[in-house]
Amino acid sequence: MSQLPYRNTEYFSLSDFKQIEVGLCNVSFVPLYGTDTEKKLLALFSPDDSNTIVGLYLLDRWWGVEDVLKTAEPSRTGLIKVSTLGERIVLYVLNRIVLRNEKSGEDVFFLCHCEREAAKILWKDGEAIGFYSFKPKGSLCRNFVTQCYQLPVMDTIFVRKCHRGQGHAIKILEDFVGSFRNEYIGLKFPLSEAISKVCEKYFSRYPADKELLWEVEKIGSPFQRTLIVNRLQKLNLKGKKNICIFSFCDMEILIFVIICDDEFNELIGISCN
């Protein structure tokens, strides 16, 4: 740590023009590939939050998080396979920094991707705005090292908040399915509400694929998978609650009340059958 690349009075400017001092108290190494501690990145942490990374030391200088996500090729657009070290770093930034900074109630934290993770980054006008990763059929399962995945399984997917609602998630699912045309394909259990909605839209466009997509647990053996279309149908049925209408008079005012909660109906002794 005594040879860290900074001087006693070095400052780093954030995107909002705020300057923070670079010192031993807010600089640390972070593993690029999670449990693999051999390959690390030098990270600068926010003085206001010791868990928030605001910069990375790359190519002999500090880079802000947003700058790492931009490339010198503004024409780079679409889903591109992660293959270079630079792309691995971009994937790390999206997954371990941006996702946590932008997390909403529907987002799920993911573990670090391993060095040889099969993944694609979603680019738009030279800027990385999302990603997805998957486990190829036949690859070893991290939690069951003697067992292999029985089908390709998408296990992480993310699109930045400012780019949501523009059809990017559908494009990601189209790309994933298109990579394994006419094969059974898995999405990791449990499906979030957002991904369930994406699947519904996908099936409305491609009804012939309803028998291809499965919600997968563990390695996706025949007893560890459920057809996503069946799961969506069950959720839709569960969401439909019985409606009961009754009336009562009070001070010559007739009031109609609609009850849509089964537990409340049972409590007051009303049958919706």
Side-chain angles (χ1 to χ4, degrees):
M1 294 291 287
S2 60
Q3 298 180 351
L4 290 178
Y6 60 80
R7 302 180 183 87
N8 292 336
T9 56
E10 183 176 358
Y11 289 87
F12 176 69
S13 297
L14 301 178
S15 56
D16 59 0
F17 302 106
K18 178 182 178 181
Q19 288 193 330
I20 60 175
E21 185 176 352
V22 180
L24 287 172
C25 61
N26 61 347
V27 171
S28 179
F29 286 103
V30 293
L32 177 58
Y33 302 121
T35 56
D36 181 357
T37 57
E38 292 186 4
K39 297 179 180 178
K40 303 176 182 179
L41 297 171
L42 187 59
L44 177 65
F45 291 82
S46 169
D48 302 321
D49 183 355
S50 59
N51 294 317
T52 300
I53 296 176
V54 296
L56 294 174
Y57 194 81
L58 306 166
L59 301 176
D60 300 323
R61 53 164 286 198
W62 289 104
W63 296 76
V65 170
E66 295 297 329
D67 294 327
V68 175
L69 299 178
K70 297 175 182 177
T71 176
E73 305 174 35
S75 61
R76 179 175 290 196
T77 297
L79 286 154
I80 299 178
K81 182 180 179 181
V82 174
S83 56
T84 67
L85 175 60
E87 290 166 341
R88 293 287 172 191
I89 294 174
V90 171
L91 182 63
Y92 173 88
V93 170
L94 285 170
N95 180 33
R96 303 296 289 180
I97 303 177
V98 175
L99 190 156
R100 281 157 173 71
N101 292 343
E102 298 184 355
K103 186 180 184 302
S104 64
E106 294 183 351
D107 289 321
V108 178
F109 287 158
F110 304 126
L111 298 175
C112 280
H113 297 99
C114 65
E115 186 172 3
R116 294 178 178 81
E117 192 87 34
K120 289 187 177 183
I121 292 175
L122 178 61
W123 297 88
K124 182 179 180 181
D125 300 328
E127 180 180 353
I129 64 170
F131 68 85
Y132 81 89
S133 68
F134 65 93
K135 299 296 188 290
K137 180 180 179 180
S139 61
L140 287 174
C141 179
R142 182 182 298 181
N143 297 326
F144 302 91
V145 293
T146 61
Q147 301 183 53
C148 299
Y149 285 94
Q150 302 297 298
L151 68 170
V153 178
M154 180 192 290
D155 57 350
T156 68
I157 178 173
F158 172 69
V159 176
R160 297 198 68 174
K161 275 187 177 181
C162 56
H163 294 280
R164 295 179 185 178
Q166 302 175 32
H168 293 303
I170 284 283
K171 291 179 181 178
I172 288 177
L173 190 54
E174 288 174 341
D175 183 85
F176 181 54
V177 175
S179 300
F180 305 96
R181 178 51 62 188
N182 298 324
E183 289 187 47
Y184 287 151
I185 300 165
L187 302 184
K188 187 177 180 180
F189 171 90
L191 296 186
S192 67
E193 181 179 350
I195 295 301
S196 296
K197 291 179 180 178
V198 171
C199 289
E200 283 186 314
K201 293 180 181 178
Y202 180 86
F203 290 143
S204 67
R205 292 187 186 182
Y206 308 99
D209 289 349
K210 289 182 178 180
E211 303 299 319
L212 296 180
L213 270 64
W214 300 77
E215 183 181 38
V216 169
E217 297 184 64
K218 300 178 181 178
I219 62 172
S221 64
F223 300 102
Q224 296 173 332
R225 62 177 83 162
T226 303
L227 268 177
I228 291 178
V229 67
N230 291 345
R231 181 185 183 279
L232 295 177
Q233 289 173 350
K234 289 180 180 179
L235 288 176
N236 289 335
L237 289 174
K238 187 177 180 181
K240 294 180 180 179
K241 298 181 178 180
N242 294 325
I243 298 179
C244 302
I245 301 178
F246 66 95
S247 64
F248 60 91
C249 293
D250 183 20
M251 298 178 62
E252 298 182 350
I253 299 176
L254 185 63
I255 303 176
F256 290 88
V257 182
I258 299 178
I259 303 297
C260 300
D261 189 280
D262 295 335
E263 293 183 0
F264 183 79
N265 291 340
E266 183 178 356
L267 178 64
I268 62 177
I270 294 178
S271 174
C272 297
N273 297 324

